[in-house]
Amino acid sequence: MSKEVSRLVEAVATGAIDRREFVRGALGLGLSVATIAAVLQGCSGEEAKAPPAPAPGGTPGPAPEPELGPIEGELHIYMWSDYIAEDTVPNFEKEFNCKVTLDTYESNEEMIAKLQAGAGGYDLVCPSGYAITVLKHLDLMEKLTRKHIPNLGNVAPIFTSTVFDPTNDHTVPWQWGVTGIAYRKDKLPTPPDSWALFLDAALKGKVTMMDDMRDNIGAWLRYRGKSLNSVDPTELAAAKVDALAAKVNLRAYISAPVKAQLVAGDVYAAQLWNGDTMQARAENDNIEFAVPKEGAAIWCDSLVIPKGARNIRAAHEFLNYILRPEVGASISNFTGYGSPNKLASEKLATPVPYPSEEQMKTLEYQQDLGAGTAVWDQLWTEIKSS
Ligand code: SPD
């Protein structure tokens, strides 16, 4: 991203300019309409709102935030597998004298289903952007008490004020990344550059795709030049045809756990997220990552406090703790993903720069599908059971 473009994005994210001024400036800098839409949609959907000033003359200002009481002795976290550094939890436990339990999941849908089924007991969960919208509609998130998260100011402006939570009332950005193809450069004759790789019969039994409805069907929509958020019946029918054509070549539908098979060389190519690919690469440097030319998903996962959480003060302390620059950097150094924390991002051993304007042309944020979710659910069931 050029300096001028970064400045413009920051200005709209912080509310220094409004959306119309942003569009005018962006067009002047030669940004495509698609890029402008992506920036506004994914990063700065609404202007950042300054806290309302107390009105003169005794008119009541905003309601004071609740007191949260002392930090509890336990914290229960439910998050994606392989998504936290080895020292993050032990250091927190030691400093805050608080025992942390970490359960993992492999997809947003798995996590949402568990919360919807009334699984109580979690104090923090980690939804992607579109899943935040779903949790909001289901009224499954607690509002954050901002005075307990002073480090929120460390987050880069492009990851605050998102369309998913415009005022960060419920979310603290955790990690961002891209869905693409992890591959063994020593096993494939040419580096993959298309989702068509999974349709290649020569790779039968040596390739996998993710066990994740949004990433899987989304890839086949992009393959045909469609939005990965499409709910158009004709486009979805075409995605199903491609998904089934690929299925005969797949060794399995598998997400993060495929890393061991890539490292061992049992799998030559896998649909996977960039950070998990980097974790596998740390064990075998024949592993590379490619973003297909047809486009792919970009996403940012956040921590939120689900309704029913019992250790709310400890959850806030954890949120503030992971926003420390050195803690955020340690997390990204382990996960291989980008840090939305600007100060942490500057400390990474291997920098993961924010996507360039050029890259944004083929990347798309996943959005809540609304009523279309049921249609996708049905389609995914049909694909997997065929
Ligand atoms: N191993 C952690 C992977 C986290 C991926 N989250 C984003 C998924 C977007 N569909």
Side-chain angles (χ1 to χ4, degrees), residues 80-83 105-109 126-128 130 175 177 179 210 212 214-215 256 259 273 275-276 279 297-301 335 337 366:
W80 302 83
S81 66
D82 304 332
Y83 214 25
Y105 54 86
E106 296 298 332
S107 71
N108 285 299
E109 287 63 37
C126 189
S128 305
Y130 77 91
Q175 301 272 273
T179 305
M210 282 198 281
D212 183 306
R214 292 302 305 264
D215 277 321
K259 294 192 286 289
W273 304 296
D276 280 77
Q279 291 170 34
I298 178 170
W299 38 263
C300 182
D301 298 336
T335 65
Y337 288 104
Q366 293 166 324

Side-chain angles (χ1 to χ4, degrees), residues 359-381:
Q359 289 164 329
M360 278 310 295
K361 285 184 187 158
T362 55
L363 298 176
E364 191 180 359
Y365 277 88
Q366 293 166 324
Q367 307 282 348
D368 174 28
L369 303 170
T373 303
V375 179
W376 276 58
D377 278 341
Q378 176 61 26
L379 192 66
W380 186 229
T381 304

